[in-house]
């Protein structure tokens, strides 16, 4: 998988189109490989999923479920790559439904409350991508995402706070979510951000 990863890094989707079955093989490695193999497969699929032309192929190959399963594994870097890949795949509205059905939101929340700061930021990005779709917003809040997002605003890295604020803003577009957002103390955190936060974060707040 490392050799394929290097080729993808330099040639992108060309290497996949030139070798039919590469995506399917990577998904199989996600399902049955050892810890290192699964991590490398998630990393390569993440790189491939940056290109829109690969997104549907990756999902059709059955990548969503094993990517979500990696979010619950022990390998920290594997979790990051899986979350990034899911974030990229979520640009497609149809994919978002599959991602949510695979219990990705719950797994991303666990990553958000873990001790890995980079993992937390990656989880925030993925959750924000899923919250773009109006149909997903109530489901995401029902999974109890609001309090972890507010906690990230309080203690997370500055580079991710703007995304967390954006995610809360998207979730707030659904009136059914307002009580949960207000009860989580979001107003106090937004006031803090506006008074002392980074300029880019203030814009989102």
């Amino acid at each position: 998988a490392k050799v394929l990863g290097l080729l993808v890094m330099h040639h992108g989707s060309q290497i996949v189109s030139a070798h039919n079955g590469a995506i399917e093989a990577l998904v199989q490695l996600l399902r049955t490989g050892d810890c290192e193999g699964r991590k490398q497969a998630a990393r390569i699929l993440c790189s491939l999923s940056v290109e829109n032309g690969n997104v549907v192929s990756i999902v059709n190959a059955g990548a969503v479920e094993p990517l979500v399963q990696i979010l619950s594994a022990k390998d920290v870097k594997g979790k990051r790559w899986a979350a990034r890949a899911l974030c990229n795949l979520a640009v497609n509205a149809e994919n978002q439904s599959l991602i949510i059905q695979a219990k990705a939101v719950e797994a991303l929340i666990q990553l958000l409350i873990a001790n890995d700061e980079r993992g937390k930021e990656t989880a925030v990005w993925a959750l924000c991508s899923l919250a773009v779709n109006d149909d997903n917003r109530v489901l995401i809040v029902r999974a109890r995402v609001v309090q972890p997002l507010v906690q990230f605003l309080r203690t997370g890295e500055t580079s991710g706070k703007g995304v967390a604020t954006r995610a809360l803003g998207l979730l707030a577009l659904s009136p059914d979510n307002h009580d949960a957002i207000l009860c989580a103390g979001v107003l106090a955190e937004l006031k803090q951000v506006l008074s002392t936060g980074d300029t880019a974060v203030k814009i989102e707040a």
Side-chain angles (χ1 to χ4, degrees):
K2 289 184 178 180
V3 175
L4 183 56
L6 288 171
L7 292 172
V8 169
M9 185 183 301
H10 290 284
H11 299 283
S13 62
Q14 296 174 7
I15 198 68
V16 177
S17 59
H19 300 278
N20 292 330
I23 288 176
E24 288 78 3
L26 288 167
V27 173
Q28 183 64 20
L29 185 57
L30 276 183
R31 293 184 182 278
T32 62
D34 59 14
C35 182
E36 180 64 22
R38 295 173 73 199
K39 177 177 68 177
Q40 294 298 332
R43 179 178 65 84
I44 298 167
L45 287 170
C46 178
S47 297
L48 291 171
S49 64
V50 172
E51 300 188 31
N52 289 335
N54 293 327
V55 167
V56 173
S57 297
I58 292 171
V59 171
N60 287 345
V64 171
E65 184 178 341
L67 283 171
V68 172
Q69 290 175 352
I70 289 177
L71 292 176
S72 300
K74 293 182 179 180
D75 187 273
V76 173
K77 290 184 179 179
K79 291 181 181 183
R80 295 176 192 166
W81 286 120
R84 290 174 187 170
L86 289 168
C87 182
N88 293 339
L89 296 176
V91 300
N92 182 306
E94 293 182 3
N95 292 348
Q96 290 180 14
S97 297
L98 292 173
I99 292 169
I100 287 180
Q101 288 171 13
K103 305 295 183 182
V105 173
E106 291 83 352
L108 288 167
I109 291 172
Q110 291 305 307
L111 184 57
L112 180 56
I113 64 177
N115 292 325
D116 176 31
E117 291 301 323
R118 290 177 63 186
K120 288 182 180 183
E121 188 171 343
T122 306
V124 170
W125 275 101
L127 289 164
C128 188
S129 294
L130 292 170
V132 168
N133 190 324
D134 184 52
D135 293 335
N136 299 335
R137 291 171 187 148
V138 172
L139 294 174
I140 292 172
V141 169
R142 284 178 181 169
R144 300 184 179 181
V145 74
V146 176
Q147 190 63 57
L149 283 173
V150 173
Q151 180 64 25
F152 186 87
L153 277 182
R154 187 177 298 123
T155 62
E157 296 291 332
T158 300
S159 56
K161 287 185 177 182
V163 186
T165 306
R166 189 184 313 160
L168 287 165
L170 289 168
L171 296 173
L173 291 174
S174 174
D176 290 340
N177 292 337
H178 289 179
D179 286 346
I181 293 172
L182 290 171
C183 288
V186 70
L187 292 181
E189 294 307 319
L190 290 178
K191 289 178 182 178
Q192 182 68 16
V193 166
L194 289 171
S195 62
T196 64
D198 178 81
T199 301
V201 182
K202 289 180 179 180
I203 293 172
E204 294 294 340

